[in-house]
Structure formats: structure tokens, C-alpha cells
Amino acid sequence: MTSGIIDHRAKKLRRQLADRLEADGAVTSPAWGTAFAEVPRHVFVPVFYKQSPTDQRAVDLSSPDEWLDGVYRDELLVIRPDARSSSTVPGLMATMLEALAVEDGHKVLEIGTGSGYNAALLSHRLGDSKVVTMDIDPELVADATARLDAINYHPTLGVGDGLAGWPARALYDRLIATCAPDKVPKAWLEQIRPGGRIVTPIATGIAVLDVTGPREASGHFLPGAAYFMPLRAGQRPPDVGAMIDAVKRSTESGRETSTSPDVWFDGDFSFLRAAAVPGVRFLAKLDNGTAVFTHPDGSWASVADSVVVQSGPRHLWNLVEGAHRTWLELGCPKRDRFLLTVDGPQQQISLAGSDQEWELP
Ligand SMILES: C[S@@+](CC[C@H](N)C(=O)[O-])C[C@H]1O[C@@H](n2cnc3c(N)ncnc32)[C@H](O)[C@@H]1O
């Protein structure tokens, strides 16, 4: 396929994607509709990695139809072979960008440059002098810079830990994060002007927060689920193989549980679970069907056939069971019934119309 044919086909697919985002209600304003119809996602995703259990391979220009069709589907695309970065689902990006409620002249900080596609959309909407984007991974930032340059966008790009924000260009009117912090970092609150807004994943939901002071903000969660990668701090990911070996070798005795490991994957429960039991992760399902959960402190729990085995300083499954009981007692509330309040060092998720709240760690 020549580059002319690729551009022509990409333009058509992009238009279809923008129409789809509008039809789905993810895009609600003409400005973002135009941005999705005009900014070429394929420039930012020259290769993506299929990672299903049956299909693990790179898809790129060598199979042009599959590549372009994949790039312009409303799907998440893994952009690094080690899965440490991805291009977010366009529908979710659009929902977050709409919730950001930018106005002409606003200055925006994005945490998590990744492919650079979101930075390009922001540059299209606001002008690149108003956009600052940063990622912890220098290689990603170098690639994103080159791709943005190639289509003539020159936002400010930085390498660093997003927890610290990007003070050099503060104050910002808006902050959008595409990796998930455990709680709203102090630096973000300090770098957004009072009256500004933060849109960030937290606890598998998207928080839309209005900033009222350097240490104060409050807001709500959007209805949809959002499973973003956690903000990382330069550390290597856990050694899954070593942990699974530890679980298999364990001689700890188990107890019965009436909570199925499947509750972990209930999309609505996952929000309260992440708020109430932060840090716990699903690690893997073993060949014999055992589900394994871990915590950064080294605790783990394995659950199979109504028996749970737990090891380490925290009894992880007791915590998940407790959160699930609470969620059932509360009538299985969905994400958009929860609020987030930041008051100095305290950050709480609460359930509207109840006295239930969960302190973020
Ligand atoms: C879902 S991807 C971002 C998608 C991106 N916005 C795009 O348009 O392609 C999340 C990104 O967050 C980055 N990230 C993770 N931890 C970070 C941190 N502590 N500070 C800054 N970026 C971080 C990852 O390297 C990854 O590229």
C-alpha cells in the first residue's frame, strides 16, 4: 500500500470512528468530534501488540489492512511489547476529554503521554502552546515527540514521575491523567488553579474533580469503568513466575469461603473493592483454575473450589469478602453514586445519600 492509499483509507476510517464516538455519546461537542475526525491515530500507533491468549504478535504496516482497521477501532491498543504502555480506548478518551470541559485559552497538563495521541488531540483543540504532557518512560516521550513533530504539533513534552506534576509550566487550568494514582497527588492540587479541574482514573473509575484551593477539591465519578495502568515509579513489575511458584510451594492450610473469586471481576463491585481494599491485584489464574491475588507488601491469597489460602501480613481475601458484603448491603451501587473529597491530607470516597466513606491510603 502506498502512503497516499494509507492516508486516504485512514481518513475514511477516522471519520467512521468519530461518527461512532458521537453516536455512542462519548463525543458530545463539535470541537472534540472534529479533533477525532482529523488527528491521525495511526501516526501514533505504528505498531500494536495483540495479546489475547491465542494471538500474541505485532501488527504493523506489513499487514496494512489489519493494522489500520485495528488502529481505528474503538479499542485499547498495547503499544509496547512488555505491555507497559497503551493507547487508551478512544471512547474512554473522548469521555474524559469531554469531562475535562476545556475552554479556548486553557492550559492543560496530561500525565501519561504514552503514544502521544491524546496530546495531539489536546493540541488540535487548544493549540500546542497550551499543552504539556509527561511520561515516566523516556523512550515513549522520545517516540511521541517525533510523531507529534511529524504532523506539526509541538506541545511541551517532559520525562518524569507524574506524581510530581510538571511545576515548570504551572498553574494549569486542567489536568488529565491516563494512568491511575492511588489518590490525587498533592502536586496536582497545587499546580491547578482554584476553579480548575482534574480528570483522573482512581479505583477503576474516572474522578471529575473541581479544585477549590491548593489542597482542596471535590467531585464525582463517571458511570463507566476505567481500568488504567497504575502510576508506576520506575520500579520493575512484580515477578509473576516467582510469585506463582511461591503459591504452588506453599504449605499454608486453607479455610472455606463462600465468596467466589468471580466477584473480583464484577465490573460494578470492582470500584468499591478498589476503594476499600487498595493495592490488592489479581495476579493470575493457574492451570487448575486457582485464582491468585497479591499485594505489594508480599501478601497473597489463592482461591479455588470454595477454599482460600492466605499468606503474608494481610489476609487479602478477608478484606475482599468484607468489601463485597458491604457492597451487597448497600444495594450494589454503581460508580456514579460515589463522590471524592480532598481536604488537606485527607481524601475520601463516599457514597451519596449514605454515611459510608472510604479513606484513600
Ligand atoms: C494508558 S498509557 C497513556 C496513553 C496516552 N495518553 C496516549 O494517548 O497514548 C499510560 C501511560 O502512563 C505512563 N506512566 C505510568 N506511570 C507514570 C508516572 N509515574 N508518571 C508519568 N507517566 C506514567 C506509562 O508509561 C504509560 O505510557
Side-chain angles (χ1 to χ4, degrees):
M1 241 189 230
T2 66
S3 65
I5 295 176
I6 286 176
D7 286 347
H8 180 73
R9 189 160 158 65
K11 191 172 174 190
K12 192 171 151 216
L13 291 170
R14 203 153 60 236
R15 180 70 262 168
Q16 287 169 0
L17 175 64
D19 289 346
R20 160 106 191 259
L21 297 180
E22 277 175 43
D24 291 349
V27 163
T28 54
S29 64
W32 284 120
T34 309
F36 277 96
E38 292 184 358
V39 175
R41 193 184 191 205
H42 68 285
V43 170
F44 296 93
V45 188
V47 54
F48 63 88
Y49 297 88
K50 287 213 158 185
Q51 297 210 316
S52 75
T54 51
D55 191 6
Q56 308 241 358
R57 66 201 161 87
V59 180
D60 59 16
L61 187 55
S62 60
S63 44
D65 288 326
E66 185 183 9
W67 171 57
L68 282 177
D69 287 347
V71 163
Y72 287 107
R73 240 178 253 135
D74 190 16
E75 283 176 10
L76 174 140
L77 298 172
V78 173
I79 60 167
R80 286 257 309 240
D82 60 4
R84 297 197 96 203
S85 190
S86 55
S87 174
T88 308
V89 187
L92 179 54
M93 291 172 69
T95 302
M96 292 174 74
L97 289 167
E98 292 285 6
L100 201 59
V102 292
E103 292 168 18
D104 292 348
H106 274 171
K107 190 170 24 152
V108 177
L109 172 61
E110 182 196 26
I111 308 291
T113 308
S115 68
Y117 177 48
N118 204 30
L121 290 164
L122 286 163
S123 298
H124 181 285
R125 169 67 186 85
L126 295 166
D128 48 17
S129 67
K130 299 290 183 186
V131 179
V132 179
T133 179
M134 62 177 299
D135 202 289
I136 199 162
D137 187 322
E139 244 180 70
L140 288 171
V141 172
D143 287 347
T145 306
R147 291 167 192 154
L148 286 156
D149 274 350
I151 53 166
N152 229 0
Y153 290 128
H154 310 285
T156 302
L157 286 108
V159 178
D161 185 347
L163 277 180
W166 195 258
R169 297 269 325 266
L171 293 172
Y172 304 95
D173 300 284
R174 300 284 187 264
L175 183 149
I176 182 167
T178 52
C179 43
D182 292 334
K183 65 200 286 189
V184 186
K186 193 165 154 272
W188 297 6
L189 296 160
E190 290 165 354
Q191 292 172 28
I192 303 299
R193 69 166 172 79
R197 178 169 279 196
I198 295 173
V199 175
T200 181
I202 285 197
T204 80
I206 297 290
V208 180
L209 283 173
D210 290 317
V211 177
T212 44
R215 304 181 74 197
E216 283 175 11
S218 61
H220 62 281
F221 285 86
L222 298 178
Y227 300 99
F228 277 88
M229 57 182 63
L231 227 94
R232 56 184 155 104
Q235 81 277 25
R236 298 305 304 165
D239 184 340
V240 176
M243 280 194 190
I244 289 176
D245 278 351
V247 172
K248 285 182 174 165
R249 280 200 315 270
S250 167
T251 53
E252 306 255 1
S253 52
R255 68 159 171 85
E256 279 201 15
T257 176
S258 56
T259 306
S260 157
D262 295 345
V263 304
W264 182 270
F265 304 101
D266 181 308
D268 291 329
F269 169 57
S270 70
F271 178 79
L272 190 142
R273 183 254 295 156
V277 193
V280 185
R281 302 259 179 270
F282 169 72
L283 185 73
K285 200 158 212 174
L286 308 186
D287 290 343
N288 63 3
T290 303
V292 181
F293 303 89
T294 58
H295 187 278
D297 70 4
S299 307
W300 58 260
S302 67
V303 191
D305 301 329
S306 307
V307 173
V308 56
V309 180
Q310 306 187 80
S311 172
R314 278 170 227 241
H315 283 173
L316 302 184
W317 200 245
N318 296 16
L319 299 172
V320 174
E321 285 172 327
H324 192 244
R325 250 189 327 269
T326 305
W327 183 70
L328 293 175
E329 282 162 14
L330 291 170
C332 310
K334 294 185 190 289
R335 283 172 180 73
D336 54 358
R337 287 197 47 213
F338 290 88
L339 306 170
L340 176 58
T341 312
V342 179
D343 185 3
Q346 244 101 57
Q347 299 195 13
Q348 283 117 10
I349 288 181
S350 56
L351 179 64
S354 84
D355 57 3
Q356 292 283 329
E357 54 183 40
W358 296 266
E359 190 74 32
L360 293 179

